[in-house]
Amino acid sequence: MNKKITYAFVQKPEANKKGLYPIYLRAFQSGKKIEIATSITLTNRDWSAIRQRVKKSNKLHERHNAILDAYDKKVLKLLINNFVHDETPLTLRQFKDKILSTHQTDGSFTDYILNYLNENKARLRIESWWSYKSQITKLLKFKKEILFTDLTEQFINDYHLYMLTTLGNNENTASKSLRSLRTFVNISLRYGYMKNNPFKFITIKKVDGKRDFLSLEELNKLSEAYFSGKVTKSIEKEILQYFLFSCYTGLRYSDLKTLQAGSIDGNKIKINMHKTGYLVVIPLTQKAIQLLPQKIPFGTEPVFRIYCNKVTNRILKKIGQTYGIPKKLTCHVARHTFATASITLGIPIEVVSKLLGHTSLKTTQVYAKIVDNVKEREMEKWDRL
């Protein structure tokens, strides 16, 4: 079988958000192919498919063609060295990794990351993929074009300040964005697009955010409204149903969406947590059992009809206002409610941690602190007697 690697520069048929078409290095071996994104994006009329170079009509043609020439030299050097010195031919994956690890550090940082995300979409959880894409959009609000050379410690500090002041983000939101940016930087470092790590001397803060949860009285109020038939609109009843089910089981919104009939085994739920992949077994209380549909479907059929996050939160907000609950109700409030209620009822924190599917007890201990704070606040009422 022929193990020879051949390659060509091609213009992708799909345009980016700016209406430009990315240039890729496409390599072939034994009927398979692999693609490497360059930093070059063009209009259709600026690319010569025959010459595999940028036409002079593009004002940056000299710079772009210099990048392609550099790729040519690196590829030829790599293939010749492999042929002369190595007995085992390169695989396409090795070829790509070696080319990227020696690539120059000029070009667009954000274009490279967007191309990387598109290439690796199948390997990422869809929520993570969309989150990373939104972080790039947010980053481009700060600076319209970001080159690899722009990524300095000062740039990161300025971006942090911009999020806190101009965008009005809280520290946790800003820190989440910085962690995403650090992930992008690490990818660039791994493949040789950057040589120095701008995050080397930067500590990303993690502040315990406010966790809203229902008190036992508020949970009982909503539960009573559901079971007594006070909630009559079908969409409100459906959403309150799976919100309360989450309150009694601790399931995340993503786990509610993927909860299948086959996951219910008698009076237990056996489910691989969507976020961590951990298998968690949750015994069902009587209230949770009553919240299951009367006719549970079979096999891979979803247990609940789950509306999108936006609709779910809008309806939950309306329900909260109707029943005088002064909190922003979301599915994560339901998970927080399960955690704090469980600890309040005396369930050992180690058990609560297992039921929530936490990978670390430290994560669960946050809820213990919340419960302690509530106790202290409530005890202060004695001083007002």
Side-chain angles (χ1 to χ4, degrees), residues 374-385:
V374 172
K375 288 177 181 176
E376 290 172 10
R377 187 177 68 240
E378 293 300 307
M379 286 299 289
E380 287 174 2
K381 293 178 179 178
W382 281 97
D383 295 328
R384 297 198 290 269
L385 284 175

Side-chain angles (χ1 to χ4, degrees), residues 97-235:
D97 288 345
K98 286 181 179 291
I99 290 298
L100 291 176
S101 67
T102 57
H103 186 60
Q104 294 178 344
T105 58
D106 57 2
S108 170
F109 168 74
T110 43
D111 281 352
Y112 168 67
I113 294 299
L114 284 170
N115 286 330
Y116 177 89
L117 291 175
N118 288 332
E119 284 185 342
N120 291 275
K121 186 174 182 179
R123 296 196 303 107
L124 296 168
R125 289 193 301 113
I126 191 63
E127 295 87 354
S128 299
W129 188 82
W130 279 112
S131 176
Y132 285 146
K133 292 271 283 191
S134 68
Q135 291 296 342
I136 290 293
T137 301
K138 182 177 179 179
L139 194 58
L140 289 171
K141 289 180 181 178
F142 174 63
K143 193 173 188 293
K144 289 184 178 180
E145 184 178 10
I146 302 171
L147 305 179
F148 289 103
T149 51
D150 290 328
L151 272 294
T152 62
E153 185 176 341
Q154 185 62 51
F155 175 93
I156 294 166
N157 289 330
D158 290 345
Y159 181 48
H160 186 204
L161 184 64
Y162 164 80
M163 288 188 285
L164 295 177
T165 56
T166 304
L167 298 184
N169 291 164
N170 61 38
E171 190 63 58
N172 261 353
T173 301
S175 293
K176 180 181 178 181
S177 295
L178 289 182
R179 283 192 290 274
S180 293
L181 178 57
R182 184 174 60 188
T183 297
F184 301 150
V185 166
N186 287 338
I187 291 168
S188 303
L189 287 166
R190 175 186 172 191
Y191 290 114
Y193 279 78
M194 296 175 64
K195 294 181 179 179
N196 300 313
N197 186 357
F199 278 94
K200 185 175 181 179
F201 299 108
I202 290 179
T203 301
I204 300 177
K205 297 178 182 177
K206 186 171 183 180
V207 181
D208 287 334
K210 182 184 177 184
R211 284 177 166 83
D212 275 333
F213 61 93
L214 299 179
S215 66
L216 292 176
E217 292 77 14
E218 290 168 333
L219 176 58
N220 286 332
K221 183 186 289 187
L222 288 182
S223 185
E224 192 274 333
Y226 176 83
F227 287 114
S228 65
K230 292 179 182 177
V231 181
T232 55
K233 289 186 178 179
S234 59
I235 187 171

Side-chain angles (χ1 to χ4, degrees), residues 224-270:
E224 192 274 333
Y226 176 83
F227 287 114
S228 65
K230 292 179 182 177
V231 181
T232 55
K233 289 186 178 179
S234 59
I235 187 171
E236 292 183 6
K237 191 169 184 178
E238 285 179 296
I239 290 175
L240 183 56
Q241 180 183 17
Y242 62 76
F243 172 81
L244 288 171
F245 189 79
S246 178
C247 288
Y248 291 116
T249 60
L251 290 179
R252 295 182 182 87
Y253 172 78
S254 56
D255 294 319
L256 287 170
K257 285 179 70 174
T258 56
L259 182 63
Q260 300 174 353
S263 299
I264 300 174
D265 183 8
N267 290 342
K268 294 179 181 178
I269 291 175
K270 295 181 179 179

